Amino acid sequence: MKHYKKLNLHKAGNLTFNPATGEGRSYEWYSIAREFEGVQVLNSYGYSNTTARHVSKLRGLFCSLGIEWVEIEAPQGLQNLDAARALTVSKIQKLTAEINNKRSRPEKNAERFAEIGKLKEKLGLIERLERKAT
């Protein structure tokens, strides 16, 4: 991503990132990166090939700038964390239903339990971010 010194912005096509505020935007309206009280959050929900590329470009930029970040999936952007919470809860419910299936394999269930643990951590992060945003 090209850095524009006078604007203090990194830009690549329809993607912008302002390192001073931690705000990243895809197509000017979709909040793809945001800083919440010192925590840089990247929305890794790739609803299209373009936003998936934008996420990849921001990961690379964060690495090159030495920015540590956490990722959540927010289908409607970081401006709507309710959708992120709903998506995470639905994923947990789906994995739980698969575990409860009598025909599921123990090896696969171990992987599902691990994934549920990760999702619960992300759910906790989303809820903390919602409290900070209000």
Side-chain angles (χ1 to χ4, degrees):
M1 293 180 66
K2 185 173 179 180
H3 182 244
Y4 292 86
K5 290 182 183 179
K6 288 185 180 182
L7 298 173
N8 193 24
L9 282 178
H10 293 270
K11 291 182 82 174
N14 291 314
L15 173 65
T16 60
F17 178 72
N18 183 337
T21 63
E23 180 81 21
R25 294 230 168 239
S26 177
Y27 291 99
E28 295 183 13
W29 69 270
Y30 187 74
S31 181
I32 196 166
R34 214 165 136 194
E35 188 175 312
F36 292 90
E37 294 186 13
V39 177
Q40 184 66 54
V41 179
L42 177 62
N43 181 3
S44 61
Y45 187 81
Y47 70 88
S48 71
N49 289 338
T50 304
T51 55
R53 277 195 311 266
H54 288 174
V55 169
S56 178
K57 287 181 181 186
L58 283 173
R59 283 184 187 127
L61 179 66
F62 290 169
C63 284
S64 67
L65 295 176
I67 297 172
E68 292 184 18
W69 74 95
V70 295
E71 294 186 19
I72 63 171
E73 291 185 83
Q76 296 176 0
L78 293 173
Q79 65 268 33
N80 185 347
L81 293 173
D82 288 338
R85 184 175 7 86
L87 176 67
T88 306
V89 167
S90 72
K91 285 183 174 188
I92 291 171
Q93 289 171 342
K94 181 181 177 196
L95 288 169
T96 302
E98 290 172 356
I99 289 170
N100 292 334
N101 181 348
K102 292 179 183 177
R103 296 177 56 175
S104 64
R105 295 194 170 130
E107 306 85 32
K108 190 67 177 173
N109 284 344
E111 293 174 18
R112 291 177 178 132
F113 276 119
E115 183 65 22
I116 286 172
K118 291 176 188 175
L119 288 169
K120 285 184 177 181
E121 286 179 24
K122 288 191 183 216
L123 186 60
L125 172 64
I126 291 167
E127 289 170 352
R128 285 192 309 274
L129 296 175
E130 283 179 316
R131 285 192 298 273
K132 290 178 183 179
T134 56

